[in-house]
Amino acid sequence: DGEVVFVGRSNVGKSTLMREVTGHTFNTGQRPGVTKKPNHFDWTAEDFVITDLPGFGFMKGVPEEVREQIKTDVVQYLERYADEILVGVLVVDGKAVIDIIDRHSGPDEVPHDVEMFHFLRELDIPTVVAVNKMDKVDDEDERLNDLCERLGLYPPWQQWQETIAPISAKRGNIDPLYEAVRHHLHEQERDDL
Ligand code: GDP
């Protein structure tokens, strides 16, 4: 009962992370934007399922209206199942995220990642940002502090270890994500007592 959902822009490494977390191997060769249905997996020995929602944002060769539709589907899924969602994991690419956010910040533009982060919180879904590809980042602290600032979290990032989880899915270094997710699951168990 309950689910942990994974959302993120396309190409952030969400499939790689899902593989690491679930132990499932699955087709990543599919054309981006084609898999529009949420995928559900069991998290071994736990009481909840993991839901992989389609990647949104820019995808090479996918028309704007298809991309918009994918994002709308993701948003509607989250709204509809908010009560059952125990934790929302927003996966971002640690190497690229700051540049992407800054490029898309403006008077009438909110970057996807920032928008999704606030949206999850508005829905009262405990949120963890899995900052992936940290193996490609040289100054880890600086990058994570910059991300905190963009998300409206007061730096230093170490204050936010239940929210900011630096990982490398490719290398299998995902303990910070497990710890952050576990923190939120336990907090909810306490609330249920
Ligand atoms: P998705 O579109 O979010 O599902 O992304 P994929 O899992 O298909 O990964 C996109 C690309 O990023 C692939 O080339 C992966 O090998 C690469 N990638 C995924 N995770 C990592 C990581 O932790 N570090 C590095 N350096 N590359 C990664």
Side-chain angles (χ1 to χ4, degrees):
D1 20 336
E3 54 184 291
V4 175
V5 299
F6 284 67
V7 298
R9 295 174 63 99
S10 119
N11 210 42
V12 295
K14 192 156 63 63
S15 309
T16 308
L17 178 59
M18 291 299 299
R19 232 179 355 254
E20 197 59 40
V21 167
T22 63
H24 283 255
T25 49
F26 45 106
N27 258 337
T28 46
Q30 266 167 328
R31 206 163 75 78
V34 169
T35 318
K36 286 223 230 147
K37 281 205 184 119
N39 279 309
H40 300 285
F41 303 93
D42 292 326
W43 193 328
T44 325
E46 297 283 355
D47 250 2
F48 52 86
V49 295
I50 295 177
T51 305
D52 181 27
L53 292 174
F56 48 79
F58 179 78
M59 281 164 269
K60 203 165 181 277
V62 179
E64 168 83 32
E65 70 259 29
V66 176
R67 291 190 260 139
E68 280 303 315
Q69 187 57 50
I70 292 169
K71 199 173 157 201
T72 303
D73 290 347
V74 169
V75 163
Q76 284 178 353
Y77 185 93
L78 294 172
E79 278 175 340
R80 179 156 178 214
Y81 295 107
D83 287 347
E84 282 115 79
I85 298 174
L86 303 169
V87 182
V89 178
L90 171 63
V91 187
V92 302
D93 176 341
K95 180 79 182 169
V97 66
I98 301 298
D99 287 344
I100 293 174
I101 287 177
D102 288 352
R103 205 182 318 140
H104 293 280
S105 298
D108 17 57
E109 205 182 359
V110 180
H112 289 314
D113 292 320
V114 176
E115 187 182 23
M116 199 50 75
F117 180 73
H118 292 304
F119 182 65
L120 286 162
R121 297 179 127 212
E122 266 165 42
L123 292 173
D124 267 326
I125 297 173
T127 302
V128 177
V129 183
V131 192
N132 193 29
K133 306 196 188 183
M134 287 306 286
D135 57 286
K136 293 209 281 187
V137 174
D138 290 329
D139 195 336
E140 171 160 332
D141 288 340
E142 189 186 339
R143 184 63 49 92
L144 297 171
N145 286 337
D146 285 350
L147 181 59
C148 279
E149 271 174 20
R150 304 306 189 275
L151 296 175
L153 306 172
Y154 205 77
W157 76 271
Q158 285 90 344
Q159 297 189 104
W160 300 100
Q161 295 196 33
E162 291 91 38
T163 307
I164 302 288
I167 60 167
S168 169
K170 203 172 179 173
R171 300 223 172 135
N173 296 335
I174 56 173
D175 281 354
L177 174 61
Y178 282 137
E179 274 164 40
V181 169
R182 232 176 261 136
H183 167 89
H184 292 294
L185 295 174
H186 291 165
E187 197 145 86
Q188 287 168 65
E189 271 170 21
R190 264 205 307 280
D191 291 348
D192 289 343
L193 291 176

